[in-house]
């Protein structure tokens, strides 16, 4: 399902043959170590005025999701919506650039009443009053939700998204291939590069980090690997430093060393390249583990993205969550809020079903995480421990889409064209500094 992958580079996800606009998501704020295992037509589907939707006294609501790749997910959310007794809820499943569709629709009066968004709405959606305050929906259940998720979806004490499930990215590796090559699971970036070289043959590449060479997914891990972050605790630019330059130069080395799988039939968020033996290691998501387990039972393990070297940085796994939001221009705001509460606060059985029946995901609520039996053994349990020990937000709320785009563009030039990391990062800092000033003074 998600990944929520880096707004510094919103990638297209393809899984099970379906094109997915995937997860720009991750960005949970502080406290990840405390995590317990823990849809665009011109017709909005809403009535032309508040009140009934033409079916007795029921409101008519439209709910948007991005297109998930896991089989059965669309049918599941349609089933949840159909079961809601107090409104007629129509689900729109949106392939392609979902983030752009949502942000464009919110500028009009034809957007959805309810929509999911990676890590909750952007700071500009919040400040532009394009989404409504949902703080009153949690009630006594607030303490049961992962606090870091709630922090990431809040601004100035108000909550603007209800977390759905937690997703994470990680490295998977073929145990048998590493053993045959005399390679230990890598603990540093240099070890990863060395392992990828030893694992590369005329038929198998050592590592797959996406068909773009990691531009879309390694922006965060490269920073954290160097012991840095997008922003400091004082909300200043956080990675204009020599260790960041070194870390990004390592991504260039992976590209030039010819160890990366490129041009795979599906991208990083689909495990096909790994399960079909095209790569010995792959950066992917927790949601792929059921498919990997079926194809390679017992012959795989999971790792975080490694730290830069023995003395600098730390390993990391990017973490994020889609949040359910209510459109500020909805003609049925209260009805929409009521539905969001029903589905993502009250319907705990549906929340657990959504988390573990269509790929593996971690419930956003601690009490449900304790019931997620499929996450309690094997590599799935190892992955949850990695999240608790090394989880990082995809990016903070104040890291704007414009700053993210600047960073993605810089990564592409560094990795694919050999641009100087120091020069590129300083250019990103200029954009990010201007964005921070705009956000904090407007």
């Amino acid at each position: 399902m998600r990944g929520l992958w880096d707004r510094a580079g919103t990638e297209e996800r393809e899984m099970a043959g379906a094109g997915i606009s995937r997860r720009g998501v991750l960005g949970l704020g502080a406290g990840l170590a405390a995590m317990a295992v823990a849809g665009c037509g011109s017709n909005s589907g809403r009535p032309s005025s508040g009140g009934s939707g033409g079916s007795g006294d029921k409101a008519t609501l439209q709910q948007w999701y991005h297109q998930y790749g896991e089989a059965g997910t669309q049918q599941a959310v349609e089933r949840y919506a159909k079961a809601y007794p107090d409104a007629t809820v129509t689900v729109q499943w949106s392939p392609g650039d979902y983030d752009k569709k949502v942000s464009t629709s919110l500028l009009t009066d034809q957007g959805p009443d309810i929509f999911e968004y990676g890590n909750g709405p952007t700071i500009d959606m919040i400040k532009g009053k394009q989404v409504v305050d949902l703080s009153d929906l949690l009630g006594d259940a607030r303490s049961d939700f992962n606090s870091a998720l709630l922090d990431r979806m809040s601004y100035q004490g108000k909550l603007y998204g209800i977390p759905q499930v937690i997703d994470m990215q990680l490295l998977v590796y073929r145990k048998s291939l590493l053993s045959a090559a005399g390679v230990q699971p890598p603990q540093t970036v240099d070890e990863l590069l060395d392992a990828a070289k030893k694992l590369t043959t005329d038929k198998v590449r050592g590592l797959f980090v996406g068909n773009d060479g990691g531009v879309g997914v390694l922006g965060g891990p490269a920073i954290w690997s160097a012991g840095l972050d997008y922003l400091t605790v004082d909300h200043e630019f956080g990675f204009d430093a020599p260790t960041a330059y070194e870390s990004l130069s390592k991504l260039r080395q992976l590209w030039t060393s010819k160890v990366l799988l490129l041009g795979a039939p599906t991208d990083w968020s689909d495990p096909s390249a790994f399960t079909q033996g095209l790569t010995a290691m792959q950066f992917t998501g927790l949601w792929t583990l059921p498919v990997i387990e079926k194809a390679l039972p017992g012959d795989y393990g999971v790792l975080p993205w490694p730290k830069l070297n023995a003395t600098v940085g730390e390993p990391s796994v990017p973490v994020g969550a889609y949040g359910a939001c209510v459109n500020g221009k909805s003609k049925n705001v209260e009805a929409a809020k009521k539905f969001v509460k029903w589905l993502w606060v009250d319907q705990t059985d549906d929340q657990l079903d959504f988390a573990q029946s269509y790929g593996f995901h971690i419930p956003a609520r601690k009490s449900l995480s304790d019931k997620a039996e499929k996450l309690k053994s094997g590599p799935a349990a190892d992955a949850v421990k990695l999240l608790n020990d090394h989880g990082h937000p995809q990016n903070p709320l104040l890291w704007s889409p414009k700053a993210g785009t600047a960073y993605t563009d810089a990564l592409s030039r560094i990795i694919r064209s050999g641009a100087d990391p120091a020069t590129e990062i300083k250019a990103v800092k200029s954009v990010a500094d201007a964005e921070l000033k705009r956000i904090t003074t407007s």
Side-chain angles (χ1 to χ4, degrees):
M1 257 176 231
R2 312 344 84 146
L4 299 180
W5 307 119
D6 214 322
R7 249 183 241 301
T10 301
E11 350 48 44
E12 289 301 304
R13 172 179 176 205
E14 293 186 355
M15 190 154 190
I20 309 299
S21 169
R22 174 124 175 144
R23 318 173 211 221
V25 185
L26 297 168
L28 312 186
L32 285 168
M35 288 181 171
V37 173
C40 266
S42 60
N43 183 0
S44 69
R46 299 198 304 266
S48 59
S49 61
S52 79
S55 177
D57 293 325
K58 288 186 177 182
T60 298
L61 303 173
Q62 186 172 88
Q63 181 184 24
W64 283 11
Y65 291 88
H66 81 287
Q67 182 182 350
Y68 290 74
E70 297 83 344
T73 311
Q74 180 177 1
Q75 292 76 17
V77 298
E78 290 172 345
R79 184 173 69 251
Y80 307 153
K82 185 177 180 180
Y84 183 58
D86 296 334
T88 300
V89 183
T90 302
V91 170
Q92 180 162 312
W93 204 245
S94 294
D97 193 341
Y98 176 77
D99 289 358
K100 183 177 181 180
K101 290 179 181 179
V102 170
S103 59
T104 300
S105 77
L106 295 181
L107 300 174
T108 75
D109 60 0
Q110 297 297 317
D113 299 279
I114 305 135
F115 63 95
E116 65 173 8
Y117 210 74
N119 296 319
T122 67
I123 185 63
D124 290 317
M125 291 177 186
I126 295 171
K127 300 195 74 169
K129 302 186 185 302
Q130 295 176 333
V131 290
V132 303
D133 178 10
L134 305 179
S135 303
D136 59 332
L137 300 190
L138 297 186
D140 293 340
R142 174 176 287 273
S143 62
D144 193 36
F145 278 82
N146 180 276
S147 60
L149 289 174
L150 296 184
D151 288 345
R152 177 56 178 81
M153 298 184 188
S154 297
Y155 182 64
Q156 295 183 342
K158 296 180 179 181
L159 179 66
Y160 291 93
I162 304 297
Q164 297 174 177
V165 292
I166 303 171
D167 276 306
M168 63 179 291
Q169 296 167 316
L170 37 62
L171 273 170
V172 295
Y173 65 94
R174 287 282 300 274
K175 291 182 177 180
S176 59
L177 295 182
L178 267 68
S179 178
V183 173
Q184 294 296 316
Q187 304 300 307
T188 68
V189 175
D190 281 337
E191 289 180 8
L192 179 66
L193 178 58
D194 184 61
K197 289 177 180 178
K198 292 179 179 178
L199 292 164
T200 295
T201 69
D202 57 346
K203 294 181 179 180
V204 179
R205 291 294 176 181
L207 179 64
F208 182 43
V209 292
N211 285 321
D212 60 4
V215 172
V217 293
L218 294 183
I223 296 171
W224 307 320
S225 174
L228 304 168
D229 210 336
Y230 288 91
L231 301 176
T232 68
V233 293
D234 297 322
H235 306 304
E236 296 180 351
F237 189 82
F239 58 102
D240 185 10
T243 52
Y245 314 154
E246 181 183 352
S247 185
L248 294 179
S249 71
K250 298 294 184 181
L251 301 186
R252 171 62 178 174
Q253 288 183 43
L254 284 170
W255 177 273
T256 59
S257 297
K258 307 299 182 183
V259 300
L260 296 180
L261 174 64
L262 301 171
T266 58
D267 218 333
W268 67 271
S269 56
D270 184 296
S272 297
F274 185 69
T275 59
Q276 293 174 9
L278 302 179
T279 183
M281 299 182 290
Q282 178 174 333
F283 195 73
T284 187
L286 176 67
W287 56 90
T288 66
L289 294 196
V291 176
I292 296 174
E293 177 64 33
K294 184 177 180 179
L296 304 168
D299 190 23
Y300 71 102
V302 297
L303 291 169
W305 187 259
K307 59 184 178 180
L308 185 57
N309 57 50
T311 59
V312 174
E314 60 183 27
S316 64
V317 291
V319 185
Y322 271 86
C325 311
V326 173
N327 187 348
K329 291 185 178 180
S330 170
K331 296 179 175 65
N332 289 295
V333 166
E334 292 306 315
K337 289 176 62 177
K338 186 177 179 182
F339 173 73
V340 169
K341 180 180 185 299
W342 177 84
L343 180 56
W344 296 115
V345 181
D346 301 336
Q347 297 300 108
T348 54
D349 287 347
D350 289 341
Q351 294 159 29
L352 190 58
D353 175 68
F354 194 62
Q356 63 173 359
S357 296
Y358 317 99
F360 286 174
H361 314 274
I362 301 170
R365 300 179 63 165
K366 292 174 280 187
S367 62
L368 298 184
S369 294
D370 293 339
K371 298 178 181 180
E373 295 296 329
K374 295 179 180 179
L375 301 176
K376 292 185 177 181
S377 62
D382 295 338
V384 173
K385 186 177 189 304
L386 292 179
L387 181 148
N388 291 329
D389 293 344
H390 305 300
H392 276 269
Q394 183 185 8
N395 48 54
L397 180 61
L398 298 187
W399 183 258
S400 74
K402 187 173 181 178
T405 297
Y407 185 34
T408 300
D409 291 346
L411 281 170
S412 182
R413 290 189 289 268
I414 294 168
I415 295 172
R416 299 164 67 93
S417 303
D420 176 59
T423 301
E424 293 292 336
I425 289 178
K426 292 182 186 303
V428 176
K429 181 179 185 299
S430 178
V431 174
D433 286 347
E435 281 291 279
L436 287 167
K437 182 177 181 181
R438 175 185 66 82
I439 291 167
T440 58
T441 61
S442 61

